[in-house]
Amino acid sequence: MMTDILAIPTNVITGFLGVGKTSAILHLLREKPANERWAVLVNEFGEIGVDGSLFEGNHRSEQGVFIREVPGGCMCCSAGLPMQIALNQLLLRAKPDRLLIEPTGLGHPVEVLQTLSGQHYRDILDLQKVLTLVDARKLSDERYTKHQIFNQQISIADVVVGNKLDLYQSEDKPALEHYVKEYGNKHAQIIFTQHGEITTQHLAGKTSFTNHTHHDNHHHSAEEKPSLAEAPIPKCGYIKAINQGENFHSIGWRFSPSRIFDYDSLSSFLSSIKAERIKAVFITEQGIFGYNLASDSNITVIELDDCVESRVEIISADVTKEEWETQLMACISSSH
């Protein structure tokens, strides 16, 4: 099936919620050589799937960038089938010169790497450096340092990227260097940056990951859920989806493209939410915009060229709030 697709340079770019993975990939895509085709497989914890729309609003297949999403939690679950199906389809469509894979911040990167380095992909993919983004300020928070996935992400990294350097205190940088020395790969490179500004130079080179040195106790569910990221939107004009796992909750909505949002009301609503993570794309009366918020920063807004429909995903450590839906619906413009 893929006999003409061989040894594609492949990088896994991982990191916990809100650390800047999407910004880093967008930055790399801006550096992509004009004559190359790149593919991005992106996995999200939430069921709705927003990252694909954010990427496609900035980069399109006409520019040599091909995007595929796997929403709904860790993409290695269900015996790896969601990831393998999406990856196979992406590779056949894109025939890329490079593949970037972004697991969800709450996913299990060891099992993703085990699938990618397994027999099925051994000749197809050339597994290169694994990059893990870390916000060093989180090392003082036990919700991170005692979280198995946070530590697993550091342990498998060939390059640890201390992101958000512009927000660090004097002790944060040496704290990350010490933490990586204690818990990371002994050959790992540590770099520091802000706004996810990494370069293509950090991608090249073989990964030190091997199946033999990593064992994960994560158990897969054999149950496959229908994808709400692609289901038809019913007559009511929207779909809501919820998910939970790894001590986090997500709630998301997809809206019919006929629903136009009021830009000012929407900005006020999104800025008022206290959550670990907000990602959204919205069609408003002022244009199409992408929204991005991590728990420790203000919401950022970028104008997009296009999107198919409005989507939003909110991830919270607490149970999601019912009033969010009422407030969100109130942002739909009555004049459209």
Side-chain angles (χ1 to χ4, degrees), residues 130-172:
V130 176
L131 279 65
T132 295
L133 277 71
V134 182
D135 182 348
R137 296 173 300 162
K138 303 299 186 185
L139 294 174
S140 59
D141 187 342
E142 287 190 348
R143 290 184 306 161
Y144 292 81
T145 57
K146 291 195 173 180
H147 203 295
Q148 177 194 5
I149 291 173
F150 179 84
N151 288 313
Q152 190 183 104
Q153 289 167 346
I154 289 176
S155 74
I156 51 91
D158 298 295
V159 181
V160 175
V161 182
N163 196 28
K164 306 189 179 186
L165 177 62
D166 51 319
L167 304 177
Y168 288 6
Q169 300 297 317
S170 59
E171 66 273 12
D172 293 326

Side-chain angles (χ1 to χ4, degrees), residues 5-33:
I5 302 176
L6 295 172
I8 299 165
T10 300
N11 300 91
V12 173
I13 300 177
T14 187
F16 219 67
L17 292 173
V19 74
K21 297 187 297 297
T22 301
S23 297
I25 292 175
L26 285 169
H27 189 77
L28 288 168
L29 292 176
R30 286 192 289 271
E31 285 207 343
K32 178 188 76 67

Side-chain angles (χ1 to χ4, degrees), residues 110-122:
V110 165
E111 297 211 0
V112 172
L113 286 164
Q114 286 172 338
T115 299
L116 298 174
S117 58
Q119 185 173 357
H120 181 74
Y121 292 109
R122 189 166 296 153

Side-chain angles (χ1 to χ4, degrees), residues 142-289:
E142 287 190 348
R143 290 184 306 161
Y144 292 81
T145 57
K146 291 195 173 180
H147 203 295
Q148 177 194 5
I149 291 173
F150 179 84
N151 288 313
Q152 190 183 104
Q153 289 167 346
I154 289 176
S155 74
I156 51 91
D158 298 295
V159 181
V160 175
V161 182
N163 196 28
K164 306 189 179 186
L165 177 62
D166 51 319
L167 304 177
Y168 288 6
Q169 300 297 317
S170 59
E171 66 273 12
D172 293 326
K173 190 173 176 180
L176 180 58
E177 292 170 335
H178 176 77
Y179 201 85
V180 172
K181 188 174 181 179
E182 187 169 356
Y183 297 104
N185 169 358
K186 65 180 181 179
H187 301 296
Q189 177 187 8
I190 306 173
I191 62 173
F192 292 90
T193 191
Q194 56 196 42
H195 312 303
E197 293 176 353
I198 54 179
T199 73
T200 54
Q201 296 176 27
H202 298 122
L203 302 178
K206 290 284 188 182
T207 180
S208 60
F209 176 87
T210 67
N211 276 327
H212 309 295
T213 56
H214 291 83
H215 303 281
D216 190 16
N217 296 321
H218 173 52
H219 297 291
H220 296 291
S221 165
E223 177 188 359
E224 285 199 55
K225 298 179 288 186
S227 172
L228 294 176
E230 298 175 358
I233 296 176
K235 288 184 178 180
C236 68
Y238 71 96
I239 288 177
K240 178 173 75 173
I242 57 175
N243 192 18
Q244 65 180 59
E246 303 294 343
N247 302 318
F248 286 89
H249 303 259
S250 78
I251 184 167
W253 296 266
R254 290 174 54 209
F255 292 90
S256 164
S258 63
R259 299 293 178 96
I260 309 299
F261 285 77
D262 180 83
Y263 178 87
D264 292 334
S265 300
L266 186 64
S267 298
S268 177
F269 163 64
L270 293 174
S271 298
S272 72
I273 296 174
K274 303 297 182 188
E276 291 296 316
R277 200 78 181 90
I278 301 173
K279 284 189 178 182
V281 290
F282 277 104
I283 302 170
T284 80
E285 90 287 1
Q286 295 187 27
I288 299 168
F289 297 90

Side-chain angles (χ1 to χ4, degrees), residues 77-130:
C77 291
S78 300
L81 283 177
M83 180 175 82
Q84 290 183 42
I85 291 169
L87 178 54
N88 292 348
Q89 291 173 342
L90 177 62
L91 294 177
L92 285 168
R93 174 174 163 239
K95 294 183 170 55
D97 297 290
R98 182 171 293 277
L99 169 66
L100 304 179
I101 297 180
E102 180 197 343
T104 168
L106 295 171
H108 299 80
V110 165
E111 297 211 0
V112 172
L113 286 164
Q114 286 172 338
T115 299
L116 298 174
S117 58
Q119 185 173 357
H120 181 74
Y121 292 109
R122 189 166 296 153
D123 296 328
I124 298 170
L125 304 180
D126 174 17
L127 202 55
Q128 299 194 346
K129 287 184 178 177
V130 176

